[in-house]
Amino acid sequence: MKIVVVGGGSWGTAFAALLRDRDHDVTLACRDPEQVRAIEATGHNPRYLTRADLRGVKPVTVENAPIAEAELIVLAVPSRAFADVAAALPGGEAPVLILTKGLDPGTGSRLSTRVQDRPVAVLSGPNMAEEIAQGLPTATVIASEDRKLAERLQEAINSIVFRVYVNDDLVGVEICAAAKNVIALAAGGVDGLGLGDNAKASLITRGLAEMARLGEACGGEPETFSGLAGMGDLNVTCYSGFGRNRRAGELIAQGATADEAAAQIGQVVEGLTTAPALRDLSHRVGVELPITEGVCRVLSGESLDKLLASLMGRQPTDE
């Protein structure tokens, strides 16, 4: 397939290389012309996953991306830029595969709803870009309301190191992808305060329950939250040393502001953008998300110690 990957960050870089390894004709569209020139000259991304081999991937600027000739458009851009990038796509029939994990911060809507007049699918799961770039095995899920599209993409992407499953629950997969980053911020806070494995496991488990409540209220299927997009992605995001959201939560617990944590990490921390959008979505559908509410309060300046006391002091109830 002729595929254009829009977004030259870590995930876009790793996914472009993965598609190249499946013998597709891959173009990587980057925002910065200097980044494009460096990839052309060296076969490596100078900023992200610098050891990943991009030979055979054609780098271009976003303005010069051959969207009209593409048979598949992959969007791997930050959630805050997603709506603008999607709106700028010219008309055409090529499907869009979304790698971005978050909600549209302007409207709080799922990102797939921002893609107009094209078939759309979402890829999500425990997919740390750093490990994928090293050729380490993982599994993922592709969700779409168009089952044939999901199956076609499954066939095109599945490999011995990247096992692809198909899921019909587009809503649930997108809610999982957004919510897990917010829970990972809280899990990082547990790490930063040195509260131990019991506390972290408890928080992740209750975080999964939050994700499931919100997802079902939005129309998602319960089974999705125990699958790769739910429990799988949540676990790796909360425990991996590569997890930006976990690391940001850890830094904030140790005294950094959200902006300072993001600057130290040097890459997009989606949970910082998604947390208020997720909270506002929960208010609209009438679902209680105490961990997400707590993350938002911490990002607004409340101390983690005070948040911990409020969470642990809530009225006991049934699981």
Side-chain angles (χ1 to χ4, degrees):
M1 298 177 70
K2 292 183 178 180
I3 303 175
V4 175
V5 178
V6 182
S10 294
W11 196 194
T13 296
F15 202 72
L18 184 149
L19 292 171
R20 183 270 324 274
D21 291 344
R22 290 286 283 113
D23 295 326
H24 296 295
D25 180 351
V26 184
T27 297
L28 179 61
C30 306
R31 184 179 57 180
D32 184 3
E34 290 297 326
Q35 188 179 16
V36 171
R37 282 191 282 271
I39 295 173
E40 285 180 328
T42 68
H44 296 274
N45 191 326
R47 298 180 182 173
Y48 308 101
L49 302 185
T50 56
R51 296 184 179 181
D53 182 3
L54 291 177
R55 288 174 296 178
V57 173
K58 181 181 179 181
V60 299
T61 59
V62 172
E63 294 78 11
N64 293 322
I67 298 294
E69 293 80 38
E71 297 172 88
L72 175 66
I73 302 163
V74 179
L75 297 185
V77 299
S79 61
R80 63 173 181 259
F82 187 92
D84 289 340
V85 172
L89 293 176
E93 299 181 355
V96 170
L97 178 62
I98 300 171
L99 304 190
T100 308
K101 297 180 178 181
L103 298 174
D104 176 43
T107 64
S109 58
R110 292 180 292 109
L111 297 180
S112 67
T113 67
R114 307 298 292 176
V115 177
Q116 301 297 320
D117 302 322
R118 286 181 183 271
V120 63
V122 170
L123 184 146
S124 193
N127 302 150
M128 286 293 169
E130 293 82 359
E131 293 190 358
I132 290 171
Q134 296 173 36
L136 297 176
T138 189
T140 197
V141 61
I142 292 178
S144 178
E145 294 175 350
D146 183 341
R147 177 81 181 191
K148 290 184 178 178
L149 170 61
E151 291 175 347
R152 191 162 76 248
L153 295 177
Q154 177 188 43
E155 182 179 358
I157 298 169
N158 185 73
S159 74
I160 195 169
V161 294
F162 196 75
R163 183 168 174 80
V164 180
Y165 292 83
V166 165
N167 191 323
D168 297 324
D169 184 15
L170 182 64
V171 173
V173 168
E174 287 192 274
I175 294 297
C176 286
K180 61 95 181 182
N181 285 328
V182 180
I183 303 303
L185 286 171
V190 171
D191 289 340
L193 293 176
L195 299 179
D197 291 337
N198 288 336
K200 189 170 180 178
S202 299
L203 181 136
I204 292 170
T205 305
R206 296 312 304 162
L208 182 62
E210 282 196 11
M211 290 167 54
R213 283 200 304 272
L214 179 62
E216 289 183 55
C218 293
E221 298 295 331
E223 294 84 0
T224 299
F225 302 91
S226 61
L228 290 167
M231 182 174 65
D233 204 6
L234 178 64
N235 272 325
V236 76
T237 306
C238 289
Y239 278 104
S240 174
F242 295 121
R244 285 173 256 166
N245 294 279
R246 188 211 63 79
R247 178 59 178 153
E250 185 176 33
L251 291 170
I252 291 169
Q254 294 168 348
T257 66
D259 287 343
E260 290 168 345
Q264 183 169 331
I265 291 168
Q267 298 189 56
V268 173
V269 180
E270 282 289 1
L272 300 176
T273 302
T274 301
L278 198 73
R279 175 200 60 202
D280 295 346
L281 173 61
S282 74
H283 292 172
R284 292 196 298 273
V285 299
V287 173
E288 186 179 17
L289 303 183
I291 297 173
T292 300
E293 294 277 358
V295 167
C296 290
R297 295 203 305 271
V298 169
L299 294 178
S300 297
E302 181 176 304
S303 74
L304 267 170
D305 288 336
K306 184 176 180 181
L307 169 61
L308 178 64
S310 69
L311 287 174
M312 294 298 288
R314 298 176 77 240
Q315 181 67 32
T317 185
D318 293 339
E319 186 177 29

